[in-house]
């Protein structure tokens, strides 16, 4: 069984969407609305949205607003003059509703953060700061973190337009640690695990039950990555006495 090198850990970094709260399920509801509208006009509705989001990524980045623009653009492009104003209006309102998704903490999140924040730390470099590192649109992510009630657990919050090796290295510099002294906890193999491991960090992968199609990544194993089923398994993994 793989084990983390606990002697190295000086900071624990958490992803937000689909790690701390459910996000993708709400987006999938809007996607299904779009697919039902455009299905009569194309062979693969999901592929049409994927193409639009891919082409828009450089200009729009990640987040509810970018997603909503891509959804409406896809409907307009695929349906053309046949697109009904009422359908476009429904997509717009559904997209704007994503800006208010509840951000209710997933099961085990609060207990885990409480433990890591307030239980005497068994790790060699205690106390261990907790960091929230999330990508997306600034105001939207700030609002979700506020609505979640979890901000009180984090010593630092970093919201970035993307999560690549460059951003992970910048985070390490900002926190005053070496990349190999970070432990990244998240659900995305593409955005959380792969870039963190590439810069030398350790990682804990907690798969979520749904994955955004732009986040799909071939499964892989790594000597510095441990996979757990639930976030409340993290304290025991870090040798906290529960």
């Amino acid at each position: 069984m793989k084990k983390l090198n606990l002697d190295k850990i000086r900071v624990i970094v958490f992803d937000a969407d689909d790690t701390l709260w459910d996000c993708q399920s709400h987006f999938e509801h809007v996607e299904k609305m779009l697919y039902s509208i455009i299905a009569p006009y194309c062979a693969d509705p999901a592929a049409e949205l994927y193409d639009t989001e891919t082409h828009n990524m450089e200009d729009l980045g990640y987040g509810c607003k970018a997603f909503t623009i891509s959804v409406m653009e896809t409907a307009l492009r695929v349906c053309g003059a046949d697109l009904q104003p009422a359908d476009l209006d429904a997509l717009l309102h559904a997209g704007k509703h994503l800006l208010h998704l509840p951000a209710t903490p997933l099961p085990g999140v609060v207990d885990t953060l409480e433990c890591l924040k307030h239980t005497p730390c068994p790790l060699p470099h205690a106390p261990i700061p907790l960091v929230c590192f999330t990508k997306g649109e600034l105001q939207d992510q700030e609002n979700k973190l506020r609505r979640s009630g979890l901000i009180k657990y984090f010593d630092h919050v970093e919201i970035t337009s993307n999560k690549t090796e460059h951003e992970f290295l910048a985070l390490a510099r900002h926190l005053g640690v070496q990349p190999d002294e970070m432990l990244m906890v998240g659900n995305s193999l593409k955005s959380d695990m792969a870039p963190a491991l590439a810069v030398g960090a350790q990682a804990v992968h907690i798969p979520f039950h749904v994955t955004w199609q732009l986040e799909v990544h071939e499964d892989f194993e790594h000597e510095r990555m441990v996979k757990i089923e639930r976030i409340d398994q993290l304290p025991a993994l870090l040798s906290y006495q529960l």
Side-chain angles (χ1 to χ4, degrees), residues 57 60-63 133-138 158-164 167:
M57 188 58 62
L60 301 180
Y62 298 87
F133 183 44
T134 179
K135 69 181 180 183
E137 194 272 325
L138 178 62
E158 189 94 9
I159 299 171
T160 180
S161 60
N162 203 355
K163 286 162 77 172
T164 67
E167 284 79 21

Side-chain angles (χ1 to χ4, degrees), residues 171-238:
L171 177 66
R173 288 194 298 269
H174 184 82
L175 297 175
V177 299
Q178 295 300 313
D180 64 356
E181 294 172 331
M182 295 192 302
L183 173 65
M184 180 66 207
V185 180
N187 70 290
S188 173
L189 288 169
K190 182 177 180 180
S191 295
D192 300 325
M193 302 295 102
L197 293 166
V199 302
Q202 299 183 76
V204 175
H205 182 216
I206 312 173
F208 195 55
H209 66 279
V210 291
T211 303
W212 182 31
Q213 56 183 347
L214 267 69
E215 286 291 327
V216 172
H217 192 288
E218 184 178 353
D219 197 12
F220 65 89
E221 300 288 332
H222 195 284
E223 61 183 1
R224 283 184 276 108
M225 181 179 74
V226 174
K227 183 180 294 187
I228 58 178
E229 295 180 355
R230 307 183 315 274
I231 196 169
D232 58 8
Q233 296 172 320
L234 182 61
L237 187 67
L238 299 177

Side-chain angles (χ1 to χ4, degrees), residues 51-154:
D51 287 345
T52 306
E53 289 187 293
T54 300
H55 285 109
N56 284 343
M57 188 58 62
E58 185 174 349
D59 291 328
L60 301 180
Y62 298 87
C64 295
K65 297 172 188 177
F67 173 74
T68 301
I69 290 173
S70 290
V71 164
M72 296 177 69
E73 180 182 334
T74 302
L76 287 163
R77 175 173 56 80
V78 174
C79 298
D82 289 337
L83 181 63
Q84 298 300 306
D87 288 335
L88 190 61
D89 185 63
L91 291 173
L92 173 61
H93 281 82
K96 290 180 70 174
H97 185 71
L98 293 174
L99 294 169
H100 304 281
L101 64 86
T104 303
L106 290 167
V109 166
V110 171
D111 288 344
T112 297
L113 294 179
E114 279 280 349
C115 176
L116 298 182
K117 189 70 175 177
H118 300 299
T119 303
C121 182
L123 304 183
H125 300 294
I128 301 294
L130 305 182
V131 172
C132 180
F133 183 44
T134 179
K135 69 181 180 183
E137 194 272 325
L138 178 62
Q139 185 173 356
D140 182 31
Q141 295 301 90
E142 286 179 338
N143 287 341
K144 281 189 285 189
L145 188 58
R146 173 182 53 79
R147 290 197 301 273
S148 74
L150 300 177
I151 193 169
K152 63 185 178 182
Y153 296 108
F154 294 107

